[in-house]
Amino acid sequence: MPRKRNIRKSLSSDGSVSVFLIIVLAAVFMFVAVFIDFSRISALKVQSERLTRAAVRSVMSSYEPELQQAYGLYALGATSADLIMGNVLNDSLRPGDRSDAFRLMAMELDSSGMELQRPLGTYEIFNRQIIEDMKYKAPIDFTLELLTKFKPLSQSMKEASNTVDVLKKLRRLYDSREAALDEMLEKQRKAGEQAIRLSKLVMDPPDHSIIDSSLGGSISTAEDAAAQYEDYKVKRQEDADRAPEEEKLYTLLLLAYQSGVSGLGSRITAEVSRFQSNRDKLLLEADTLWEEANSLNEEMKQVIKEAETRSSNLGYDQVTNDITPGSAEASAEEAEIIQSIRQQADGLIYSADMLEELKQEIDVQRDRSLSVVEAGLSVHSSLGGEVMKGTIMNASRSLQNYISNYGIAGGGNVIDRRQAQLEQFRTSDKERKAMEKQADQQLKQATKVIKAINGMDQQQAVMDEFRKLQQFYDESMEFNAVQADRNKGKSMDDDPYEAGKSAMDNMDGMFGFMGSVLGNARDELFQNEYAVHYFQHFDIKRLSGLVEGAGSGGGIGQEFHIADQEVEYILYGFHNPVGNIAGAYAEIFSTRLAIRTMEGLVVNSRLGNPLAILAAAILYGVEKAIEDMIRLCQKGSLPLSKYVPVELTYRDHLRIFMFIHSNNEKKLSRMLALIRWNTGINPAERATYASGEVRSAMRLWFLPGVTKSLGVVFGSGGDEVTGNRYIVTRKADFSY
């Protein structure tokens, strides 16, 4: 019995141990199983992340080779992005060929998707890729190829621009002031001439004495009335002495004389009234013209005062002060000479004393004109009286004195002396006018070339090319939500002074841009340099025959196709075969005119009168600019200036003009239109950014059962658990 009890007790103890061990082993197994699946999940997440990135990179590696090779741009090619992504994912997840291989994760593709964004045709993306491509080349090329050439010219051009600006303004004010003074003197002279008619009613012609005459003659002047007065008295007395019944012999003659004197008195009174009215009007107008001249004189003073504070000077000074390796220092000698010309402008100003004398002369004339009125009234009151002769003689002398002082030209009178005083101040005006006329003729010769280019026959096939290009341009502007416009351009100014000032304004803009680039390389620099690096410019030598006068240009031919003037199109945007070429030619001429006018100021600095120097400088500039255009079309390059003899090519000029024309959005659309024209690829349809999403799944071995038995919910971080499948969603982005 005891033994059986021990056996039973032993069996009971062994069973408890087995159950305990089973429980312990089950717990350990569950613990290990959970970690196995967690490890598999972690590996799944890492692998999904890598696979998603690899798939997106594979898609983006399929960039368009033509855009990259021709323009340095990256955008997706024509192959479907979803197709590339699907192939990469399928190849990566395909199981090996061995049937006995153990797949720890057994990763499966649940779904995938690709979203393409940021088309190359948007300004922001296109500009960013331009900057990326040109960020090293553009500043270096700009500095070495352009800035070093123009730096020695900066101070001379600054002074030239200031001087042309000031003298052009002064010339307009000067001519207006002189015209006002001339008209003022003319008004005064006309006011003097108003007394001539009254003088003729008194004595015609004036004489030193009045000779008596008999009644019966016409009474057209007071002199006639005075001459017949003695005879009138005699005959009147004779008739008065006759008996009442005796016939009066001189009744008709006496009545005629009385009637003539009465009519003459009325005419004299009316003439005095007319004189007063016209005198007041003319001298009041003379006062107004003097005020205008005085105001213009003050305005000239203000122009001279503000000459040294132009904001455009900043760009020139920045270029001058920049330390650029390999560039020559700015020349000071020419700048000082030009500055001295501007300082002579004070000589164009009338002194306050001189203007005051002219003003006082009007007041003196107004006072002296009172003697004319008094003379007329005294003659009228003396008609038919004993003192008539003396009164008429005194009145005639008074009238002639007034007329000789103010009404007769060329007699050395007051007006003539004032006119001579003004002419003495205008000693260089005739010479200046002659040079202005010559410059005008020369400028018309220069514009003939531009008119000849614009007047060339336009082949239909080439016109069709530009119409198609315009369509691409308009679509690019519309895609970027910018209003497209039509560039009508600007022809060369026919007036030499306007052409010269416009040329200097362009130089202000050019040096202003150069100065800003030195402070901070802007997007515009990268865009401009990108344009001249990747697009074709026109061969200017093809215009040599036209510039030399060999002909009118003939047909357009191959040289005016889009492919041969891409840079010019980007710059000006004319959608026709000749507009861009004409625009470039005109602007090069304008640039040469600015530089040559600067030289002309130095060459003609000894003329004395600053306005004459300006006229001579512009004439010099026009003549030399025409010669420069011939040389440029013959050789393709020319010296920058006689003072800076470095060569400047046609391409360099286009790069300069890119600085001046800051229509960045239009430039970008023109480049995009050309890219589409040349490659057949629409940048607006090619993405540069891809966002991919991959959902991958894996069957879990233990976790579903464990979590179910424990009554917990599993899944975190946006991942999903569906049955015994664990699904991971991963995203990856890539941009060129």
Side-chain angles (χ1 to χ4, degrees):
M1 286 297 293
R3 186 179 178 186
K4 288 183 178 180
R5 281 198 300 271
N6 291 335
I7 293 173
R8 191 178 295 113
K9 185 177 180 180
S10 176
L11 289 173
S12 175
S13 175
D14 291 343
S16 299
V17 170
S18 298
V19 170
F20 176 75
L21 290 174
I22 290 171
I23 293 172
V24 171
L25 290 173
V28 171
F29 181 78
M30 289 178 62
F31 183 77
V32 173
V34 167
F35 272 96
I36 290 172
D37 267 355
F38 267 117
S39 298
R40 295 176 68 230
I41 290 170
S42 296
L44 174 65
K45 291 180 178 181
V46 172
Q47 189 66 14
S48 296
E49 184 78 24
R50 292 175 177 174
L51 187 59
T52 303
R53 292 180 179 178
V56 174
R57 284 197 302 269
S58 297
V59 170
M60 297 301 282
S61 67
S62 180
Y63 57 81
E64 183 60 60
E66 189 172 2
L67 289 177
Q68 195 280 326
Q69 294 168 9
Y71 298 103
L73 302 173
Y74 288 89
L76 279 174
T79 306
S80 170
D82 289 325
L83 177 61
I84 296 173
M85 186 175 189
N87 290 337
V88 171
L89 292 174
N90 290 331
D91 291 343
S92 300
L93 297 176
R94 182 182 297 119
D97 295 334
R98 293 183 57 179
S99 59
D100 60 343
F102 177 70
R103 300 179 64 201
L104 179 63
M105 288 196 306
M107 185 177 175
E108 302 171 357
L109 178 65
D110 184 79
S111 65
S112 65
M114 177 67 68
E115 183 181 1
L116 303 178
Q117 301 173 7
R118 304 177 187 176
L120 180 62
T122 57
Y123 292 151
E124 180 183 359
I125 302 304
F126 184 44
N127 186 56
R128 183 167 58 81
Q129 291 208 20
I130 288 175
I131 294 173
E132 190 66 26
D133 185 71
M134 301 300 297
K135 63 184 178 182
Y136 299 117
K137 292 185 289 186
I140 295 173
D141 291 350
F142 166 78
T143 301
L144 296 180
E145 298 177 15
L146 281 181
L147 184 59
T148 55
K149 294 179 181 179
F150 278 90
K151 182 179 178 180
L153 211 61
S154 56
Q155 285 304 299
S156 297
M157 289 309 305
K158 181 185 85 169
E159 297 300 335
S161 180
N162 278 4
T163 300
V164 170
D165 178 65
V166 171
L167 294 185
K168 178 180 175 293
K169 292 176 181 177
L170 290 177
R171 171 186 169 271
R172 177 184 61 81
L173 297 171
Y174 174 90
D175 287 344
S176 298
R177 184 192 66 187
E178 298 308 297
L181 291 176
D182 285 343
E183 191 175 356
M184 177 196 74
L185 293 179
E186 185 60 26
K187 296 293 183 184
Q188 288 182 260
R189 192 183 299 280
K190 286 184 177 179
E193 292 171 350
Q194 297 303 307
I196 294 176
R197 288 175 56 177
L198 180 59
S199 175
K200 290 182 177 181
L201 286 176
V202 175
M203 291 186 76
D204 188 21
D207 204 344
H208 298 293
S209 61
I210 299 176
I211 302 174
D212 292 338
S213 63
S214 301
L215 286 178
S218 64
I219 301 178
S220 56
T221 66
E223 180 186 11
D224 295 335
Q228 298 179 37
Y229 182 68
E230 290 299 325
D231 190 40
Y232 166 77
K233 287 195 302 179
V234 171
K235 288 183 168 54
R236 184 184 62 179
Q237 188 61 44
E238 288 181 4
D239 273 358
D241 292 341
R242 298 182 194 281
E245 66 278 3
E246 188 177 356
E247 182 181 1
K248 309 294 184 184
L249 297 179
Y250 305 115
T251 302
L252 294 177
L253 286 174
L254 295 174
L255 289 174
Y257 177 83
Q258 293 169 357
S259 176
V261 169
S262 176
L264 177 62
S266 298
R267 291 199 301 275
I268 289 174
T269 301
E271 189 56 41
V272 169
S273 177
R274 187 195 67 82
F275 170 81
Q276 288 178 304
S277 176
N278 290 346
R279 174 209 60 189
D280 292 342
K281 177 177 179 295
L282 290 167
L283 293 183
L284 183 60
E285 290 174 351
D287 285 330
T288 303
L289 289 165
W290 182 90
E291 293 290 347
E292 179 183 346
N294 186 58
S295 176
L296 290 167
N297 198 62
E298 292 300 318
E299 194 172 344
M300 291 172 69
K301 291 180 183 178
Q302 189 64 26
V303 168
I304 295 172
K305 182 179 179 181
E306 296 173 353
E308 308 305 323
T309 59
R310 296 175 70 226
S311 59
S312 56
N313 291 347
L314 178 61
Y316 292 101
D317 293 336
Q318 286 178 318
V319 173
T320 300
N321 297 329
D322 181 67
I323 301 175
T324 307
S327 66
E329 292 302 318
S331 175
E333 182 180 356
E334 292 81 18
E336 290 173 358
I337 292 174
I338 298 172
Q339 187 179 38
S340 68
I341 296 171
R342 195 166 64 252
Q343 292 169 350
Q344 298 174 36
D346 287 331
L348 300 173
I349 305 299
Y350 282 130
S351 66
D353 291 341
M354 180 177 176
L355 287 173
E356 188 59 32
E357 287 177 8
L358 294 173
K359 171 64 174 173
Q360 290 175 359
E361 198 63 70
I362 299 174
D363 296 333
V364 170
Q365 183 176 358
R366 186 177 283 110
D367 292 339
R368 290 185 177 182
S369 68
L370 297 177
S371 64
V372 174
V373 177
E374 293 173 357
L377 295 177
S378 65
V379 169
H380 177 265
S381 63
S382 69
L383 289 176
E386 295 294 335
V387 295
M388 191 166 23
K389 283 187 178 181
T391 302
I392 292 171
M393 291 299 297
N394 290 334
S396 180
R397 282 192 294 270
S398 179
L399 288 167
Q400 288 308 305
N401 182 51
Y402 178 80
I403 293 170
S404 63
N405 277 323
Y406 299 104
I408 300 176
N413 60 16
V414 172
I415 305 300
D416 290 335
R417 290 196 300 273
R418 292 300 182 190
Q419 189 72 56
Q421 186 180 11
L422 294 179
E423 293 300 330
Q424 189 176 10
F425 194 79
R426 306 168 182 171
T427 52
S428 299
D429 282 9
K430 289 184 179 179
E431 182 183 3
R432 172 170 66 91
K433 297 293 184 182
M435 288 186 289
E436 289 173 356
K437 185 177 181 181
Q438 190 176 354
D440 183 67
Q441 293 172 347
Q442 292 287 338
L443 190 60
K444 284 182 171 60
Q445 291 295 322
T447 58
K448 285 183 179 179
V449 177
I450 301 172
K451 292 178 181 178
I453 296 174
N454 284 321
M456 288 179 177
D457 297 331
Q458 302 185 18
Q459 295 177 0
Q460 187 61 42
V462 184
M463 290 296 297
D464 291 341
E465 288 183 3
F466 277 92
R467 274 193 285 271
K468 189 67 174 177
L469 183 65
Q470 181 176 344
Q471 177 187 338
F472 293 163
Y473 169 77
D474 290 342
E475 289 177 4
S476 174
M477 297 286 281
E478 183 179 357
F479 180 74
N480 287 280
V482 177
Q483 182 66 38
D485 63 354
R486 297 292 177 265
N487 189 355
K488 297 181 180 179
K490 180 182 178 183
S491 60
M492 186 186 297
D493 289 300
D494 293 330
D495 181 81
Y497 288 100
E498 293 299 330
K501 180 61 171 63
S502 177
M504 290 299 177
D505 288 343
N506 286 345
M507 296 301 284
D508 290 345
M510 184 191 72
F511 275 95
F513 183 87
M514 287 183 179
S516 66
V517 167
L518 291 172
N520 181 25
R522 300 186 302 176
D523 292 357
E524 191 172 356
L525 170 65
F526 300 127
Q527 294 169 10
N528 294 346
E529 292 298 295
Y530 180 84
V532 297
H533 273 79
Y534 284 99
F535 294 91
Q536 180 64 40
H537 63 75
F538 182 68
D539 183 2
I540 194 66
K541 293 180 181 179
R542 298 178 182 181
L543 294 180
S544 58
L546 180 64
V547 174
E548 293 168 7
S552 61
I556 289 179
Q558 295 294 324
E559 61 198 26
F560 284 82
H561 279 274
I562 293 173
D564 293 325
Q565 55 169 303
E566 293 176 339
V567 177
E568 289 82 357
Y569 168 71
I570 294 169
L571 183 56
Y572 300 104
F574 290 107
H575 292 99
N576 65 71
V578 297
N580 302 302
I581 306 302
Y585 185 94
E587 200 151 20
I588 292 174
F589 181 87
S590 178
T591 301
R592 299 312 306 166
L593 177 59
I595 295 173
R596 292 300 200 172
T597 299
M598 178 273 293
E599 297 175 5
L601 289 171
V602 177
V603 171
N604 297 282
S605 60
R606 296 184 179 180
L607 288 180
N609 185 293
L611 296 184
I613 294 173
L614 176 63
I618 290 179
L619 174 59
Y620 176 96
V622 173
E623 292 175 339
K624 293 298 181 180
I626 293 173
E627 295 175 8
D628 287 344
M629 296 309 297
I630 295 174
R631 175 168 179 169
L632 180 65
C633 292
Q634 289 175 340
K635 299 183 177 181
S637 66
L638 74 169
L640 176 59
S641 167
K642 66 182 293 185
Y643 304 117
V644 185
V646 296
E647 287 294 308
L648 203 65
T649 66
Y650 172 74
R651 179 174 177 266
D652 290 335
H653 283 91
L654 297 181
R655 294 166 76 182
I656 293 170
F657 304 151
M658 288 284 186
F659 303 154
I660 301 171
H661 299 271
S662 298
N663 298 322
N664 293 349
E665 292 179 343
K666 296 176 184 177
K667 287 180 185 177
L668 292 175
S669 278
R670 290 166 193 161
M671 285 190 275
L672 290 167
L674 285 171
I675 291 171
R676 183 177 177 183
W677 169 263
N678 290 329
T679 64
I681 300 169
N682 186 358
E685 297 174 353
R686 297 301 177 91
T688 64
Y689 182 94
S691 179
E693 180 180 282
V694 176
R695 286 169 56 88
S696 53
M698 178 185 69
R699 293 184 178 278
L700 298 173
W701 291 344
F702 307 106
L703 275 175
V706 173
T707 56
K708 183 177 181 181
S709 64
L710 296 176
V712 298
V713 178
F714 177 68
S716 65
D719 299 335
E720 302 177 26
V721 178
T722 304
N724 65 343
R725 299 176 76 240
Y726 192 89
I727 302 173
V728 175
T729 301
R730 290 294 179 266
K731 294 182 178 181
D733 301 284
F734 192 95
S735 175
Y736 291 125

